[in-house]
Amino acid sequence: MGEEKIDRLKGFRQFLPGEMNARRKVFGKLDRIAERYGFGHIETPSLEPMDLFLIKSGEELVEQTYSFEDKAGRKVTLIPEETPTRARMVKENKALSKPVKWYSSSKFWRYESTQKGRLREFRQFNYDIFGEDSVDADAEVLAVASEMLEELDIDHAAELRINDRRMLEGILSAYGIEDSEDILKVIDDKEKMSRQEFRDRLKDEGLSEENSRIVDEVTELSGSFSEVIPKLENLVPDAEESKNAFKRLVELKERLESYGVLENCIIDLSIIRGLAYYTGMVFEIFDTEGELRALCGGGRYDELIELFGGQPTPAVGFAAGDAVLEILMKREDVWPEEEVETDVYVLTVSESVKKEGIKLAQRLRDMDMSVETDIVGRNFGNQMDYANSINAENLIIVGERDLENGEVTVKDMVSGDEEQVGFESVEEYFSG
Ligand code: HAM
């Protein structure tokens, strides 16, 4: 039989230990942020009934899912996002004390046309707060997102772009432009096209020349909170909903200041978000050069849980994707080294010292150090090469004569310094 070549599917990745080492460092930082802010870790199913996403994720996302019939003929979907599952979990767990704050890091699947930062399998880090509709909850979520940028050392290269859907809808409606899903979709895509294309697309959706100019100009409005708020003051109509949305933005500014993250945040009236469930504040994080797709997206979705048959429960949150984060961190030269790390390699010079070598390796593993020793029967030189290949920071040479004197040689592979250390004192050497 000939050899069959079975390639990896497009848009799916695989990672070697060195690459995973870098990824896990980044993921670990995001896990820690969640813990620092009191977000509890949750885990959710990877496969859900297709109907879960039909309710409110929006047509585009549903079209992009991996959906199929299982063996019992049920229509099921590999989860393209976690928000609907979380809404169901909140509904099912009524007794949870509010606010409920949840975090997870898991894989998602979307059948997208693959491109830079857009894959068919990717990881998202989801942070949500349920049961609290205050501006404080919005601010805390934005603070977490901002802290992520700081922690990953990309705060100088990315910014949070914030808007309020209701406020934008109010402004447009004051001009007699009623928002339709189609118009919102064009606004959502604005960053991907020229201004002329944008106006043409709006006209294709039925807007007059004048109205497409207005939508273009309004959605051009962006800048720091201090710059944009006075401009909005004149623009926001008297209608109660728009006024309230604007008031929240003013309050948000103050809160973001208290959290110390205001300088990472700007207002941008073109941010609208593709997903259909958002009801108020929305935001995305983009690189400041405007080269990449969004690193993060989120906002307030106060009606989703009720829509799923639960008690009315306000909610706000966001998700960050691993792919764009990696691209930006590499561009900014802050992505961790993609290599394996080992604390100690225990080099045994001959079979006769192997027993002691293994015991020593076990003692160091008990100290939670990463340790390797020979399991192949390599000679001295080949063990040295192997120790270098696994980036061992320290080498312990267990030699026959040394051992008779109750000693081993410890070599610091970074400085090259060598020291004789008592066989029984190795733990002390490393903890000192
Ligand atoms: P989303 O904007 O669809 O929002 O995705 C959030 C982030 O996930 C994006 O900014 C992007 O970094 C990443 N992402 C999305 N699709 C892909 C893909 N095909 N390849 C690589 N990365 C991707 C949501 O999913 C909402 N459920 C977020 C949310 C949580 N809203 C409230 N809570």
Side-chain angles (χ1 to χ4, degrees), residues 261-318:
V261 300
L262 185 63
E263 68 270 31
N264 290 345
C265 300
I266 67 166
I267 296 180
D268 179 341
L269 268 71
S270 71
I271 299 297
I272 196 82
R273 305 279 297 133
L275 296 158
Y277 43 69
Y278 294 108
T279 51
M281 187 276 291
V282 281
F283 78 102
E284 285 187 307
I285 300 187
F286 283 99
D287 69 304
T288 40
E289 308 262 300
E291 257 181 21
L292 308 173
R293 309 194 58 154
L295 283 88
C296 283
R300 192 159 264 295
Y301 51 103
D302 288 343
E303 288 158 11
L304 194 62
I305 292 148
E306 203 175 345
L307 213 71
F308 279 23
Q311 302 289 327
T313 310
V316 60
F318 75 97

Short mmCIF file of all heavy atoms in Angstrom, two decimals, residues 261-318:
data_model
loop_
_atom_site.label_atom_id
_atom_site.label_comp_id
_atom_site.label_asym_id
_atom_site.label_seq_id
_atom_site.Cartn_x
_atom_site.Cartn_y
_atom_site.Cartn_z
N VAL A 261 -6.97 53.43 34.11
CA VAL A 261 -6.83 52.88 32.76
C VAL A 261 -7.35 53.82 31.68
O VAL A 261 -7.39 53.45 30.49
CB VAL A 261 -7.53 51.50 32.63
CG1 VAL A 261 -6.93 50.50 33.60
CG2 VAL A 261 -9.03 51.60 32.84
N LEU A 262 -7.73 55.04 32.10
CA LEU A 262 -8.37 55.95 31.13
C LEU A 262 -7.49 56.22 29.91
O LEU A 262 -7.99 56.31 28.79
CB LEU A 262 -8.77 57.27 31.82
CG LEU A 262 -9.55 58.24 30.95
CD1 LEU A 262 -10.90 57.67 30.52
CD2 LEU A 262 -9.79 59.57 31.69
N GLU A 263 -6.19 56.29 30.13
CA GLU A 263 -5.33 56.64 28.98
C GLU A 263 -5.25 55.55 27.91
O GLU A 263 -4.82 55.82 26.79
CB GLU A 263 -3.93 57.11 29.42
CG GLU A 263 -3.05 56.06 30.03
CD GLU A 263 -3.24 56.00 31.56
OE1 GLU A 263 -4.35 56.27 32.06
OE2 GLU A 263 -2.27 55.66 32.23
N ASN A 264 -5.67 54.31 28.26
CA ASN A 264 -5.70 53.25 27.24
C ASN A 264 -7.02 53.23 26.47
O ASN A 264 -7.19 52.41 25.57
CB ASN A 264 -5.52 51.87 27.88
CG ASN A 264 -4.13 51.66 28.43
OD1 ASN A 264 -3.21 52.41 28.09
ND2 ASN A 264 -3.96 50.66 29.27
N CYS A 265 -7.96 54.14 26.86
CA CYS A 265 -9.32 54.05 26.32
C CYS A 265 -9.66 55.26 25.45
O CYS A 265 -9.34 56.39 25.82
CB CYS A 265 -10.32 54.01 27.47
SG CYS A 265 -10.09 52.61 28.57
N ILE A 266 -10.31 55.02 24.33
CA ILE A 266 -10.84 56.12 23.54
C ILE A 266 -12.30 55.84 23.19
O ILE A 266 -12.75 54.69 23.25
CB ILE A 266 -10.02 56.39 22.26
CG1 ILE A 266 -10.14 55.23 21.27
CG2 ILE A 266 -8.55 56.64 22.55
CD1 ILE A 266 -9.62 55.63 19.90
N ILE A 267 -13.01 56.92 22.84
CA ILE A 267 -14.38 56.73 22.35
C ILE A 267 -14.29 56.66 20.83
O ILE A 267 -13.56 57.43 20.21
CB ILE A 267 -15.28 57.90 22.78
CG1 ILE A 267 -15.39 57.94 24.32
CG2 ILE A 267 -16.67 57.78 22.14
CD1 ILE A 267 -16.27 59.07 24.85
N ASP A 268 -15.03 55.74 20.24
CA ASP A 268 -15.00 55.59 18.78
C ASP A 268 -16.41 55.20 18.33
O ASP A 268 -16.88 54.09 18.60
CB ASP A 268 -13.99 54.50 18.40
CG ASP A 268 -13.92 54.26 16.90
OD1 ASP A 268 -14.87 54.65 16.19
OD2 ASP A 268 -12.93 53.68 16.45
N LEU A 269 -17.09 56.13 17.66
CA LEU A 269 -18.49 55.89 17.31
C LEU A 269 -18.70 54.87 16.19
O LEU A 269 -19.83 54.54 15.86
CB LEU A 269 -19.21 57.21 16.99
CG LEU A 269 -19.89 57.82 18.22
CD1 LEU A 269 -18.89 58.36 19.21
CD2 LEU A 269 -20.92 58.85 17.85
N SER A 270 -17.60 54.37 15.63
CA SER A 270 -17.80 53.35 14.58
C SER A 270 -17.81 51.93 15.17
O SER A 270 -18.05 50.96 14.45
CB SER A 270 -16.70 53.46 13.52
OG SER A 270 -15.47 53.02 14.04
N ILE A 271 -17.54 51.82 16.47
CA ILE A 271 -17.55 50.48 17.08
C ILE A 271 -18.99 50.08 17.36
O ILE A 271 -19.71 50.76 18.09
CB ILE A 271 -16.74 50.46 18.41
CG1 ILE A 271 -15.27 50.84 18.15
CG2 ILE A 271 -16.86 49.10 19.11
CD1 ILE A 271 -14.50 49.90 17.25
N ILE A 272 -19.42 48.99 16.77
CA ILE A 272 -20.82 48.62 16.89
C ILE A 272 -20.96 47.14 17.25
O ILE A 272 -21.90 46.74 17.89
CB ILE A 272 -21.55 49.01 15.57
CG1 ILE A 272 -23.04 49.01 15.74
CG2 ILE A 272 -21.14 48.17 14.40
CD1 ILE A 272 -23.51 50.29 16.36
N ARG A 273 -19.99 46.31 16.88
CA ARG A 273 -19.95 44.87 17.15
C ARG A 273 -20.94 44.10 16.29
O ARG A 273 -22.10 44.45 16.20
CB ARG A 273 -20.22 44.55 18.63
CG ARG A 273 -19.32 45.26 19.59
CD ARG A 273 -17.98 44.60 19.74
NE ARG A 273 -18.06 43.28 20.30
CZ ARG A 273 -17.41 42.23 19.80
NH1 ARG A 273 -16.66 42.35 18.74
NH2 ARG A 273 -17.51 41.06 20.38
N GLY A 274 -20.43 43.03 15.70
CA GLY A 274 -21.24 42.23 14.79
C GLY A 274 -22.31 41.42 15.49
O GLY A 274 -23.39 41.21 14.95
N LEU A 275 -22.03 40.97 16.71
CA LEU A 275 -22.96 40.05 17.35
C LEU A 275 -24.24 40.78 17.75
O LEU A 275 -24.21 41.91 18.21
CB LEU A 275 -22.30 39.41 18.58
CG LEU A 275 -21.10 38.54 18.19
CD1 LEU A 275 -20.16 38.34 19.37
CD2 LEU A 275 -21.58 37.19 17.68
N ALA A 276 -25.35 40.07 17.58
CA ALA A 276 -26.65 40.75 17.67
C ALA A 276 -27.13 41.01 19.09
O ALA A 276 -28.09 41.73 19.29
CB ALA A 276 -27.68 39.92 16.92
N TYR A 277 -26.45 40.43 20.11
CA TYR A 277 -27.05 40.53 21.45
C TYR A 277 -26.66 41.77 22.26
O TYR A 277 -27.18 41.99 23.35
CB TYR A 277 -26.76 39.27 22.28
CG TYR A 277 -25.35 38.71 22.20
CD1 TYR A 277 -24.28 39.38 22.74
CD2 TYR A 277 -25.12 37.48 21.58
CE1 TYR A 277 -22.99 38.85 22.69
CE2 TYR A 277 -23.85 36.94 21.52
CZ TYR A 277 -22.78 37.62 22.07
OH TYR A 277 -21.52 37.10 22.00
N TYR A 278 -25.73 42.59 21.76
CA TYR A 278 -25.28 43.73 22.58
C TYR A 278 -26.37 44.80 22.69
O TYR A 278 -27.07 45.09 21.72
CB TYR A 278 -24.00 44.33 22.01
CG TYR A 278 -22.84 43.37 22.10
CD1 TYR A 278 -22.33 42.75 20.97
CD2 TYR A 278 -22.28 43.06 23.34
CE1 TYR A 278 -21.29 41.86 21.06
CE2 TYR A 278 -21.23 42.16 23.43
CZ TYR A 278 -20.74 41.56 22.30
OH TYR A 278 -19.70 40.66 22.38
N THR A 279 -26.45 45.40 23.88
CA THR A 279 -27.54 46.36 24.11
C THR A 279 -27.05 47.76 24.50
O THR A 279 -27.85 48.69 24.52
CB THR A 279 -28.45 45.86 25.25
OG1 THR A 279 -27.62 45.54 26.38
CG2 THR A 279 -29.25 44.65 24.84
N GLY A 280 -25.82 47.93 24.89
CA GLY A 280 -25.38 49.26 25.36
C GLY A 280 -23.92 49.49 25.02
O GLY A 280 -23.54 49.51 23.86
N MET A 281 -23.10 49.64 26.07
CA MET A 281 -21.67 49.85 25.87
C MET A 281 -21.06 48.69 25.06
O MET A 281 -21.37 47.53 25.33
CB MET A 281 -21.00 49.94 27.26
CG MET A 281 -19.54 50.34 27.24
SD MET A 281 -18.38 48.98 26.95
CE MET A 281 -18.51 48.02 28.45
N VAL A 282 -20.29 49.03 24.06
CA VAL A 282 -19.57 48.01 23.28
C VAL A 282 -18.12 48.47 23.14
O VAL A 282 -17.85 49.67 23.17
CB VAL A 282 -20.17 47.79 21.87
CG1 VAL A 282 -21.41 46.93 21.91
CG2 VAL A 282 -20.45 49.10 21.16
N PHE A 283 -17.21 47.54 23.01
CA PHE A 283 -15.82 47.94 22.78
C PHE A 283 -15.04 46.87 22.05
O PHE A 283 -15.41 45.70 22.04
CB PHE A 283 -15.13 48.32 24.10
CG PHE A 283 -14.70 47.15 24.95
CD1 PHE A 283 -13.37 46.75 24.97
CD2 PHE A 283 -15.61 46.44 25.72
CE1 PHE A 283 -12.96 45.66 25.75
CE2 PHE A 283 -15.21 45.37 26.50
CZ PHE A 283 -13.88 44.97 26.52
N GLU A 284 -13.97 47.34 21.44
CA GLU A 284 -13.02 46.43 20.82
C GLU A 284 -11.62 46.95 21.11
O GLU A 284 -11.44 48.14 21.35
CB GLU A 284 -13.25 46.35 19.31
CG GLU A 284 -14.48 45.54 18.99
CD GLU A 284 -14.72 45.26 17.51
OE1 GLU A 284 -14.73 46.23 16.75
OE2 GLU A 284 -14.89 44.11 17.17
N ILE A 285 -10.66 46.06 21.07
CA ILE A 285 -9.27 46.51 21.22
C ILE A 285 -8.57 46.32 19.88
O ILE A 285 -8.62 45.24 19.30
CB ILE A 285 -8.53 45.73 22.32
CG1 ILE A 285 -9.24 45.91 23.66
CG2 ILE A 285 -7.07 46.18 22.41
CD1 ILE A 285 -8.51 45.31 24.85
N PHE A 286 -7.96 47.40 19.42
CA PHE A 286 -7.20 47.35 18.16
C PHE A 286 -5.77 47.79 18.40
O PHE A 286 -5.50 48.55 19.34
CB PHE A 286 -7.82 48.31 17.13
CG PHE A 286 -9.08 47.78 16.51
CD1 PHE A 286 -10.32 48.18 16.97
CD2 PHE A 286 -9.02 46.86 15.47
CE1 PHE A 286 -11.48 47.69 16.40
CE2 PHE A 286 -10.17 46.36 14.89
CZ PHE A 286 -11.41 46.77 15.36
N ASP A 287 -4.87 47.35 17.54
CA ASP A 287 -3.50 47.86 17.61
C ASP A 287 -3.52 49.31 17.11
O ASP A 287 -4.32 49.64 16.22
CB ASP A 287 -2.54 46.99 16.78
CG ASP A 287 -2.79 47.11 15.30
OD1 ASP A 287 -3.94 46.86 14.89
OD2 ASP A 287 -1.87 47.49 14.56
N THR A 288 -2.67 50.14 17.67
CA THR A 288 -2.75 51.57 17.35
C THR A 288 -2.32 51.86 15.91
O THR A 288 -2.69 52.89 15.36
CB THR A 288 -1.89 52.40 18.33
OG1 THR A 288 -0.68 51.69 18.57
CG2 THR A 288 -2.60 52.63 19.64
N GLU A 289 -1.54 50.96 15.30
CA GLU A 289 -1.15 51.17 13.90
C GLU A 289 -2.32 50.89 12.95
O GLU A 289 -2.22 51.18 11.76
CB GLU A 289 -0.01 50.22 13.52
CG GLU A 289 1.17 50.25 14.45
CD GLU A 289 2.28 51.13 13.95
OE1 GLU A 289 2.78 50.85 12.86
OE2 GLU A 289 2.62 52.10 14.66
N GLY A 290 -3.35 50.24 13.47
CA GLY A 290 -4.51 49.91 12.64
C GLY A 290 -4.20 48.85 11.59
O GLY A 290 -4.84 48.77 10.55
N GLU A 291 -3.23 48.00 11.89
CA GLU A 291 -2.80 46.98 10.92
C GLU A 291 -3.57 45.68 11.06
O GLU A 291 -3.78 44.96 10.10
CB GLU A 291 -1.35 46.61 11.24
CG GLU A 291 -0.32 47.20 10.35
CD GLU A 291 1.07 46.73 10.76
OE1 GLU A 291 1.19 45.68 11.43
OE2 GLU A 291 2.02 47.41 10.40
N LEU A 292 -3.95 45.38 12.30
CA LEU A 292 -4.47 44.04 12.59
C LEU A 292 -5.97 44.07 12.87
O LEU A 292 -6.55 45.11 13.10
CB LEU A 292 -3.74 43.47 13.82
CG LEU A 292 -2.22 43.50 13.77
CD1 LEU A 292 -1.63 43.06 15.10
CD2 LEU A 292 -1.72 42.59 12.66
N ARG A 293 -6.53 42.89 12.87
CA ARG A 293 -7.94 42.78 13.26
C ARG A 293 -8.04 42.93 14.77
O ARG A 293 -7.03 43.06 15.45
CB ARG A 293 -8.46 41.43 12.80
CG ARG A 293 -8.13 41.20 11.33
CD ARG A 293 -8.88 40.08 10.77
NE ARG A 293 -10.32 40.29 10.90
CZ ARG A 293 -11.20 39.74 10.10
NH1 ARG A 293 -10.79 39.00 9.09
NH2 ARG A 293 -12.49 39.91 10.29
N ALA A 294 -9.27 42.90 15.28
CA ALA A 294 -9.45 43.17 16.72
C ALA A 294 -8.81 42.08 17.58
O ALA A 294 -8.87 40.90 17.26
CB ALA A 294 -10.93 43.28 17.03
N LEU A 295 -8.19 42.52 18.68
CA LEU A 295 -7.62 41.58 19.65
C LEU A 295 -8.69 41.07 20.59
O LEU A 295 -8.60 39.98 21.12
CB LEU A 295 -6.57 42.28 20.52
CG LEU A 295 -5.20 42.58 19.99
CD1 LEU A 295 -5.20 43.91 19.28
CD2 LEU A 295 -4.20 42.60 21.11
N CYS A 296 -9.68 41.93 20.84
CA CYS A 296 -10.71 41.66 21.84
C CYS A 296 -12.01 42.28 21.39
O CYS A 296 -11.99 43.31 20.71
CB CYS A 296 -10.42 42.42 23.13
SG CYS A 296 -9.20 41.78 24.15
N GLY A 297 -13.10 41.74 21.87
CA GLY A 297 -14.38 42.39 21.62
C GLY A 297 -15.33 42.08 22.75
O GLY A 297 -15.24 41.00 23.35
N GLY A 298 -16.22 43.02 23.04
CA GLY A 298 -17.20 42.74 24.09
C GLY A 298 -18.15 43.88 24.28
O GLY A 298 -18.20 44.81 23.48
N GLY A 299 -18.89 43.81 25.38
CA GLY A 299 -19.85 44.86 25.67
C GLY A 299 -20.94 44.37 26.57
O GLY A 299 -20.86 43.28 27.16
N ARG A 300 -21.98 45.20 26.66
CA ARG A 300 -23.11 44.91 27.54
C ARG A 300 -24.20 44.18 26.76
O ARG A 300 -24.51 44.54 25.63
CB ARG A 300 -23.62 46.24 28.10
CG ARG A 300 -24.56 46.10 29.22
CD ARG A 300 -24.67 47.35 30.06
NE ARG A 300 -23.80 47.28 31.25
CZ ARG A 300 -23.95 46.42 32.25
NH1 ARG A 300 -24.90 45.51 32.22
NH2 ARG A 300 -23.13 46.44 33.28
N TYR A 301 -24.73 43.12 27.36
CA TYR A 301 -25.82 42.38 26.70
C TYR A 301 -26.86 42.03 27.76
O TYR A 301 -26.93 40.93 28.24
CB TYR A 301 -25.28 41.14 25.96
CG TYR A 301 -24.40 40.21 26.76
CD1 TYR A 301 -24.89 39.00 27.25
CD2 TYR A 301 -23.07 40.52 27.02
CE1 TYR A 301 -24.09 38.14 27.98
CE2 TYR A 301 -22.26 39.66 27.76
CZ TYR A 301 -22.78 38.48 28.23
OH TYR A 301 -21.98 37.64 28.97
N ASP A 302 -27.70 43.01 28.06
CA ASP A 302 -28.60 42.91 29.21
C ASP A 302 -29.84 42.05 28.98
O ASP A 302 -30.57 41.78 29.92
CB ASP A 302 -29.05 44.32 29.64
CG ASP A 302 -27.92 45.10 30.31
OD1 ASP A 302 -26.93 44.45 30.73
OD2 ASP A 302 -28.01 46.33 30.42
N GLU A 303 -30.08 41.66 27.73
CA GLU A 303 -31.34 40.96 27.47
C GLU A 303 -31.19 39.48 27.14
O GLU A 303 -32.15 38.75 26.99
CB GLU A 303 -32.09 41.67 26.32
CG GLU A 303 -32.63 43.01 26.78
CD GLU A 303 -32.90 43.98 25.64
OE1 GLU A 303 -32.87 43.55 24.47
OE2 GLU A 303 -33.12 45.17 25.94
N LEU A 304 -29.95 39.02 27.02
CA LEU A 304 -29.75 37.66 26.50
C LEU A 304 -30.28 36.57 27.44
O LEU A 304 -30.87 35.59 26.99
CB LEU A 304 -28.25 37.44 26.22
CG LEU A 304 -27.91 36.21 25.38
CD1 LEU A 304 -28.53 36.30 23.99
CD2 LEU A 304 -26.41 36.01 25.25
N ILE A 305 -30.07 36.76 28.73
CA ILE A 305 -30.46 35.70 29.67
C ILE A 305 -31.98 35.56 29.74
O ILE A 305 -32.52 34.46 29.74
CB ILE A 305 -29.81 35.95 31.05
CG1 ILE A 305 -28.29 35.76 30.86
CG2 ILE A 305 -30.34 35.02 32.13
CD1 ILE A 305 -27.44 36.59 31.70
N GLU A 306 -32.63 36.71 29.69
CA GLU A 306 -34.09 36.70 29.66
C GLU A 306 -34.59 36.03 28.38
O GLU A 306 -35.55 35.26 28.38
CB GLU A 306 -34.58 38.14 29.73
CG GLU A 306 -35.97 38.29 30.25
CD GLU A 306 -36.33 39.76 30.39
OE1 GLU A 306 -35.44 40.63 30.36
OE2 GLU A 306 -37.53 40.04 30.51
N LEU A 307 -33.90 36.33 27.31
CA LEU A 307 -34.26 35.74 26.02
C LEU A 307 -34.15 34.22 26.05
O LEU A 307 -34.83 33.50 25.34
CB LEU A 307 -33.28 36.28 24.97
CG LEU A 307 -33.79 36.48 23.58
CD1 LEU A 307 -34.74 37.65 23.54
CD2 LEU A 307 -32.62 36.73 22.65
N PHE A 308 -33.26 33.71 26.90
CA PHE A 308 -33.08 32.28 27.06
C PHE A 308 -34.04 31.71 28.11
O PHE A 308 -33.90 30.58 28.55
CB PHE A 308 -31.63 31.97 27.49
CG PHE A 308 -30.66 31.96 26.34
CD1 PHE A 308 -30.91 32.65 25.17
CD2 PHE A 308 -29.47 31.24 26.43
CE1 PHE A 308 -30.01 32.64 24.12
CE2 PHE A 308 -28.56 31.23 25.38
CZ PHE A 308 -28.84 31.94 24.23
N GLY A 309 -34.98 32.55 28.56
CA GLY A 309 -35.98 32.06 29.50
C GLY A 309 -35.59 32.26 30.96
O GLY A 309 -36.24 31.72 31.84
N GLY A 310 -34.53 33.03 31.22
CA GLY A 310 -34.11 33.27 32.60
C GLY A 310 -34.69 34.55 33.16
O GLY A 310 -35.44 35.26 32.49
N GLN A 311 -34.36 34.82 34.44
CA GLN A 311 -34.74 36.10 35.06
C GLN A 311 -34.02 37.21 34.32
O GLN A 311 -32.90 37.00 33.87
CB GLN A 311 -34.24 36.14 36.51
CG GLN A 311 -34.74 35.04 37.40
CD GLN A 311 -36.21 35.22 37.72
OE1 GLN A 311 -36.68 36.35 37.81
NE2 GLN A 311 -36.92 34.13 37.86
N PRO A 312 -34.61 38.43 34.25
CA PRO A 312 -33.85 39.52 33.65
C PRO A 312 -32.52 39.68 34.40
O PRO A 312 -32.51 39.83 35.61
CB PRO A 312 -34.74 40.74 33.87
CG PRO A 312 -36.09 40.19 34.15
CD PRO A 312 -35.93 38.83 34.72
N THR A 313 -31.43 39.56 33.68
CA THR A 313 -30.10 39.60 34.31
C THR A 313 -29.15 40.41 33.45
O THR A 313 -28.75 39.95 32.36
CB THR A 313 -29.52 38.16 34.46
OG1 THR A 313 -30.51 37.33 35.06
CG2 THR A 313 -28.25 38.15 35.29
N PRO A 314 -28.77 41.60 33.89
CA PRO A 314 -27.82 42.37 33.08
C PRO A 314 -26.47 41.65 33.01
O PRO A 314 -26.11 40.90 33.91
CB PRO A 314 -27.69 43.69 33.84
CG PRO A 314 -28.20 43.42 35.22
CD PRO A 314 -29.17 42.29 35.12
N ALA A 315 -25.74 41.90 31.93
CA ALA A 315 -24.46 41.21 31.74
C ALA A 315 -23.51 42.08 30.93
O ALA A 315 -23.94 42.85 30.07
CB ALA A 315 -24.69 39.89 31.02
N VAL A 316 -22.23 41.95 31.25
CA VAL A 316 -21.22 42.68 30.49
C VAL A 316 -19.94 41.85 30.48
O VAL A 316 -19.62 41.20 31.47
CB VAL A 316 -20.99 44.10 31.08
CG1 VAL A 316 -20.52 44.07 32.52
CG2 VAL A 316 -20.04 44.93 30.23
N GLY A 317 -19.25 41.84 29.34
CA GLY A 317 -18.02 41.04 29.29
C GLY A 317 -17.33 41.17 27.97
O GLY A 317 -17.76 41.94 27.09
N PHE A 318 -16.25 40.42 27.83
CA PHE A 318 -15.51 40.45 26.56
C PHE A 318 -14.71 39.17 26.40
O PHE A 318 -14.55 38.38 27.33
CB PHE A 318 -14.56 41.66 26.51
CG PHE A 318 -13.31 41.51 27.35
CD1 PHE A 318 -12.12 41.09 26.79
CD2 PHE A 318 -13.35 41.79 28.71
CE1 PHE A 318 -10.96 40.95 27.57
CE2 PHE A 318 -12.21 41.65 29.49
CZ PHE A 318 -11.01 41.23 28.93
#
